[in-house]
């Protein structure tokens, strides 16, 4: 008898073990092939000491976890059901016997890895953070395959923003090197991060985690004609025809700073957009005061507002009281003199006797 096996290096199997090779017999009759899967402690011990079998009739499940036999001549390809085997190293013994004879004429052993169990996906990380506090790191390093550890695990991360109008896909990362996932602190909102882990045999496991990053509203800074104002201030405008408005010193987290928008309102009605503008007193407005509001809005539509009262220079009310009294006195004195002269020039009729 002559025997040859195709593919001599060990492989990892899951639900089935594929065996291929060629068998020949000098009398051109089929050859009986018996396969036995025997558990081993490790790869070094596999195939080191096989079952003592002298005849195909001696085989029982007491000596093996799986038994399969077939007959063939020439090239063959057979499948051994290994779905019932637990994960671990196995010695796959093959015994050949002439057809219609139970005596063993040759044996061969192949070291095999069985991986039937799903891995376990584990995500560790914070579920709440503030915008600008630093990147969030989600670690899947504790994920494992029950027997084979972390070797060969593949990680697929999917980040979704949870919106009232529908979920939005933010990012997908895949690879054996991605045992952790980083969420940069330039995001804010409610999110779901999912992890799909697969081993080399395609067994998978899934886990997910919900987390929130709270947006920090901007802080408005208002400057009117080079005067810094805070909410509730009263400011008398310089005696000019127009005045500068500046909200460009408003602050926010680094990721939102460049996208800040400034909205200006007079008496709570929007009049300007842009962080640097020029104020002109509204036409046909005879009032001496108005309310100016600056709203600073970030890209998450969070905002802060500052409202101040602005007043124009009033020439009458701003005149010093002493000058007003002096002018009144002068006018009174002049009117007295004029009245006196008029009295002297008047002709007073006399009574006739």
């Amino acid at each position: 008898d002559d025997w040859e096996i195709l593919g001599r290096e060990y492989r990892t199997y899951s639900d089935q073990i594929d065996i291929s090779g060629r068998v020949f017999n000098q009398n051109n009759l089929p050859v009986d092939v018996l396969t036995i899967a025997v558990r081993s402690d490790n790869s070094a011990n596999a195939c080191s000491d096989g079952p003592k079998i002298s005849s195909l009739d001696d085989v029982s499940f007491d000596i093996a976890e799986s038994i399969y036999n077939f007959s063939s001549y020439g090239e063959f390809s057979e499948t051994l059901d290994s779905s019932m085997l637990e994960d671990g190293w196995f010695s796959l013994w093959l015994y050949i016997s002439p057809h219609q004879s139970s005596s063993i004429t040759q044996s061969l052993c192949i070291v095999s890895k069985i991986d039937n169990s799903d891995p376990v996906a584990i995500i560790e990380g914070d579920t709440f953070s503030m915008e600008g506090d630093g990147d969030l790191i989600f670690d899947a390093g504790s994920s494992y395959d029950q027997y084979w550890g972390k070797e060969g695990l593949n990680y697929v991360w999917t980040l979704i923003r949870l919106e009232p109008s529908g979920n939005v896909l933010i990012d997908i990362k895949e690879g054996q090197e991605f045992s952790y996932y980083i969420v940069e602190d330039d995001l804010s909102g409610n999110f779901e991060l999912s992890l799909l882990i697969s081993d080399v045999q395609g067994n998978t496991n899934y886990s997910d985690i919900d987390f929130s990053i709270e947006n920090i509203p901007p802080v408005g800074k208002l400057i009117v004609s080079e005067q810094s104002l805070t909410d509730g201030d009263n400011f008398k405008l310089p005696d000019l025809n127009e005045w500068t408005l500046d909200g460009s010193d408003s602050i926010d987290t680094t990721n939102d700073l460049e996208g800040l928008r400034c909205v200006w309102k007079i008496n709570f009605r929007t009049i300007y957009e842009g962080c640097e503008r020029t104020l002109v007193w509204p036409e046909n407005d005879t009032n001496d005061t108005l309310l100016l509001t600056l709203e600073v809005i970030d890209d998450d539509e969070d905002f802060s507002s500052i409202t101040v009262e602005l007043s124009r220079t009033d020439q009458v009310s701003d005149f010093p009281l002493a000058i007003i009294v002096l002018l009144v006195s002068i006018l009174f004195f002049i009117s007295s003199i004029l009245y006196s002269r008029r009295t002297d020039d008047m002709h007073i009729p006399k009574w006739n006797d």
Side-chain angles (χ1 to χ4, degrees), residues 94-137:
L94 296 94
Y95 300 92
I96 62 173
S97 173
H99 190 54
Q100 297 179 344
S101 172
S102 60
S103 61
I104 303 296
T105 60
Q106 190 173 356
S107 64
L108 180 69
C109 185
I110 303 172
V111 179
S112 303
K113 293 171 62 176
I114 299 297
D115 184 6
N116 280 322
S117 299
D118 293 335
V120 178
I122 299 174
I123 305 176
E124 297 175 311
D126 294 331
T127 57
F128 178 80
S129 180
M130 298 291 292
E131 182 185 33
D133 279 355
D135 297 343
L136 285 177
I137 300 177

Side-chain angles (χ1 to χ4, degrees), residues 149-169:
K150 302 177 183 179
E151 180 183 358
L153 291 182
N154 186 70
Y155 304 85
V156 181
W157 298 91
T158 304
L159 180 63
I160 294 174
R161 187 199 299 270
L162 306 177
E163 299 281 2
S165 58
N167 298 341
V168 179
L169 177 64

Side-chain angles (χ1 to χ4, degrees), residues 16 25 44 46 65 69 99 106 133 135 165 176 187 192 198 208 217 223 244 261 296 353:
Q16 63 185 36
N25 194 327
E65 279 77 11
N69 54 29
H99 190 54
Q106 190 173 356
D133 279 355
D135 297 343
S165 58
Q176 295 187 13
L187 294 175
E192 178 187 272
S198 59
D208 60 53
I223 299 175
T244 59
R261 296 186 293 119
V296 180
D353 294 334

Side-chain angles (χ1 to χ4, degrees), residues 190-206:
N190 298 315
F191 300 90
E192 178 187 272
L193 180 64
S194 63
L195 171 64
L196 179 68
I197 285 186
S198 59
D199 60 22
V200 294
Q201 290 305 109
N203 302 309
T204 62
N205 190 238
Y206 176 89

Side-chain angles (χ1 to χ4, degrees), residues 136 171 328:
L136 285 177
D171 186 33
V328 171

Side-chain angles (χ1 to χ4, degrees), residues 319-352:
F319 231 76
L321 181 60
I323 295 178
I324 295 176
V325 172
L326 178 60
L327 290 175
V328 171
S329 300
I330 292 173
L331 291 173
F332 180 77
F333 179 71
I334 293 173
S335 64
S336 298
I337 294 175
L338 293 174
Y339 179 79
S340 176
R341 288 180 179 179
R342 183 182 175 189
T343 302
D344 291 342
D345 294 339
M346 291 179 63
H347 175 69
I348 300 177
K350 295 183 179 180
W351 295 96
N352 293 326

